[in-house]
Amino acid sequence: EAQVTQNPRYLITVTGKKLTVTCSQNMNHEYMSWYRQDPGLGLRQIYYSMNVEVTDKGDVPEGYKVSRKEKRNFPLILESPSPNQTSLYFCASTPKGAPYNEQFFGPGTRLTVL
Amino acid sequence: RKEVEQDPGPFNVPEGATVAFNCTYSNSASQSFFWYRQDCRKEPKLLMSVYSSGNEDGRFTAQLNRASQYISLLIRDSKLSDSATYLCVVNQVYNFNKFYFGSGTKLNVKP
């Protein structure tokens, strides 16, 4: 089944404790993105990747890191989480090509930072 | 100013009604336009792309007005299952992997 998976789905952590949210897609898509969703603000792009070893900042990259060592994986790293990073996070992948290509989203990771 | 703006609603309509949502975007360089549907904090899923000439998919019709920089979605014969939040999405001509989402319009279809 073609899909984007994220782990963990739910996480409660404390300020300053490094964490990684994994994202993996099995559709051989070139493009991948991370978003956060907050009430009233919609989805905001954190980072995106055009291909292996090619990443760029989205609109809200502060406090986050990413890496793209393999085409299928795009982990999101919070080196020192803070309460303002409490949010719902989505990973998405898109095939390369025409601009009307669909984004496929993972099921989301609900993160709470205490 | 936000890149994409939508009326948050909620729009409460009876089954069978026709309902329309608008979305405005601020950057005239926007190239591609989409409507996504999101159910109760689940992942967004593509409802339809929006083409320059407008397009229809069953009960759903999408229109683009570049001059006024807005996109519309019309839903005819609303079903209970149409209850969801509808997200307007645009991306830019110079980087079509950079997407901007509206905050969504909530639709409640009542029996």
Side-chain angles (χ1 to χ4, degrees), chain B residues 87-108:
Chain B
L87 308 175
C88 176
V89 185
V90 307
N91 69 4
Q92 311 302 327
V93 65
Y94 50 83
N95 187 350
F96 62 84
N97 195 44
K98 200 167 190 308
F99 293 88
Y100 297 95
F101 283 72
S103 54
T105 297
K106 188 166 175 55
L107 172 65
N108 296 317

Side-chain angles (χ1 to χ4, degrees), chain A residues 36 46-47 57-65 82 84-85:
Chain A
R36 60 178 289 173
I46 302 171
Y47 269 95
K57 295 177 181 178
D59 293 315
V60 288
E62 295 79 19
Y64 305 95
K65 288 173 61 177
S82 62
N84 64 13
Q85 293 179 297

Side-chain angles (χ1 to χ4, degrees), chain B residues 12-63:
Chain B
N12 298 308
V13 302
E15 269 187 292
T18 295
V19 61
F21 310 135
N22 283 341
C23 157
T24 58
Y25 60 95
S26 60
N27 191 334
S28 59
S30 298
Q31 180 186 34
S32 306
F33 309 91
F34 311 85
W35 284 101
Y36 277 73
R37 170 193 169 126
Q38 186 175 29
D39 293 293
C40 199
R41 304 295 266 176
K42 292 195 172 179
E43 73 270 26
K45 294 185 178 177
L46 180 68
L47 178 66
M48 58 197 303
S49 302
V50 186
Y51 302 122
S52 295
S53 55
N55 47 301
E56 188 173 305
D57 183 1
R59 298 180 293 108
F60 299 87
T61 300
Q63 297 280 349

Side-chain angles (χ1 to χ4, degrees), chain A:
Chain A
E1 181 189 355
Q3 60 183 349
V4 179
T5 56
Q6 293 179 229
N7 282 292
R9 296 287 313 281
Y10 303 90
L11 179 61
I12 300 174
T13 189
V14 294
T15 298
K17 186 176 181 182
K18 180 179 179 180
L19 66 92
T20 299
V21 184
T22 64
C23 172
S24 183
Q25 50 97 2
N26 62 1
M27 295 169 281
N28 202 36
H29 287 168
E30 283 78 8
Y31 301 139
M32 297 185 76
S33 293
W34 274 104
Y35 295 89
R36 60 178 289 173
Q37 186 174 29
D38 302 289
L41 296 177
L43 276 83
R44 293 178 293 167
Q45 201 166 24
I46 302 171
Y47 269 95
Y48 58 94
S49 170
M50 309 283 275
N51 213 325
V52 174
E53 303 291 2
V54 182
T55 62
D56 206 348
K57 295 177 181 178
D59 293 315
V60 288
E62 295 79 19
Y64 305 95
K65 288 173 61 177
V66 292
S67 68
R68 187 96 181 270
K69 293 185 170 59
E70 305 164 283
K71 196 172 186 180
R72 62 184 293 127
N73 295 325
F74 190 43
L76 180 69
I77 303 153
L78 285 72
E79 295 271 3
S80 183
S82 62
N84 64 13
Q85 293 179 297
T86 293
S87 188
L88 178 58
Y89 291 86
F90 289 105
C91 179
S93 73
T94 311
K96 184 180 180 181
Y100 287 103
N101 279 340
E102 176 180 356
Q103 287 191 90
F104 293 84
F105 285 86
T109 295
R110 190 173 293 278
L111 172 65
T112 301
V113 183
L114 301 174

